[in-house]
Amino acid sequence: MSVPRPATAATDATDASGRPGAARTRAAARQLVRSDDLEEALAVAGAAIGEVLDGEAVLRVRTTQHDLHASASGVVPPAALSSLALSVLSLPHDVDGAPQASGHAPGILIESTGGHATCRVWVDTAHPPHEDAAERTLAELLLHCLAQSVDRIVMVDRVRQNEANLERAVESHRLVGQAMGILIERHRITSEEAFEVLRRASQDHNTKLREVARRVIETGAEPDDVV
């Protein structure tokens, strides 16, 4: 025997106004929190915020390395957006740090700032909710989730980059040490003198030290002869 679901549970997909219900908003927020792909996070946020505010959402995310625009379809070039959308997303801040209201344009502009990212969303809607409306609160929470997600993705990318830099440093250390060993054995010189030969060849020929060392190892030639 089937048990009918309560009327409140039936609104998981949409609320009485036809807008997304709490379940869909929570699902979008969870996806943002867990996402490790920047383009996916932007698309999820654009779609969810647009649905909550009943309009078309356009995003701008700025970090120290990126300045991206996106919609519900994902990252888009600025040329794909209307001049109005670009203008609103580029508005300066008020004295209190909030983005200036777009008095010349309909819709709603929201901003959230994380440790490494500033996220703005403009939703082109003819009926923007009041500042204390539940829809606006949900949109602000989703944008905050996006800012946190971007922060995490940026940090992960930095860790990966740092790991790559560390691996390159270790490899450089190995190559230089091996090349020094070749010069020490060949010329019966000290380790300091061998390093100075490699360093001087690197500077004189404007070639990275690790590259000079690699060529010495591969060819067996003198440092000045491999650059």
Side-chain angles (χ1 to χ4, degrees):
M1 175 175 137
S2 62
V3 179
R5 298 174 65 192
T8 53
T11 61
D12 275 355
T14 58
D15 60 20
S17 67
R19 295 179 179 176
R24 287 179 62 184
T25 303
R26 285 196 302 268
R30 283 195 298 267
Q31 191 171 355
L32 287 172
V33 169
R34 297 171 181 172
S35 177
D36 58 1
D37 181 270
L38 183 56
E39 185 164 2
E40 176 190 62
L42 292 173
V44 169
I49 295 173
E51 287 184 325
V52 166
L53 295 178
D54 194 25
E56 183 177 353
V58 183
L59 294 154
R60 183 181 184 185
V61 173
R62 286 174 292 169
T63 71
T64 54
Q65 296 178 320
H66 305 288
D67 187 355
L68 300 174
H69 293 80
S71 66
S73 60
V75 175
V76 296
L81 303 178
S82 68
S83 58
L84 177 58
L86 292 174
S87 174
V88 173
L89 290 172
S90 300
L91 285 172
H93 291 80
D94 289 325
V95 176
D96 61 2
Q100 291 181 358
S102 52
H104 64 289
I108 179 171
L109 176 65
I110 303 173
E111 179 174 300
S112 182
T113 302
H116 303 282
T118 298
C119 301
R120 276 188 177 185
V121 62
W122 177 60
V123 182
D124 185 6
T125 176
H127 305 287
H130 298 294
E131 288 194 7
D132 57 350
E135 294 88 351
R136 183 183 178 110
T137 300
L138 286 176
E140 290 173 345
L141 288 173
L142 287 166
L143 191 64
H144 177 71
C145 287
L146 174 64
Q148 298 302 309
S149 178
V150 174
D151 271 356
R152 187 186 67 260
I153 292 169
V154 168
M155 285 300 297
V156 169
D157 286 345
R158 287 184 178 180
V159 168
R160 289 173 178 167
Q161 184 62 40
N162 287 338
E163 289 178 347
N165 289 335
L166 178 59
E167 290 175 359
R168 284 195 295 271
V170 171
E171 177 65 6
S172 294
H173 181 273
R174 184 188 68 80
L175 291 172
V176 172
Q178 191 172 344
M180 286 171 57
I182 293 173
L183 296 177
I184 290 170
E185 183 178 357
R186 178 182 299 165
H187 300 292
R188 297 294 187 263
I189 58 179
T190 65
S191 58
E192 291 82 1
E193 290 170 333
F195 178 76
E196 180 60 23
V197 171
L198 292 170
R199 186 191 66 80
R200 188 172 59 249
S202 171
Q203 290 186 341
D204 290 348
H205 299 280
N206 194 27
T207 303
K208 289 185 178 180
L209 184 64
R210 63 171 287 160
E211 182 62 20
V212 174
R214 184 184 65 80
R215 294 177 186 176
V216 169
I217 295 167
E218 291 179 350
T219 67
E222 292 296 314
D224 281 326
D225 296 333
V226 299
V227 290

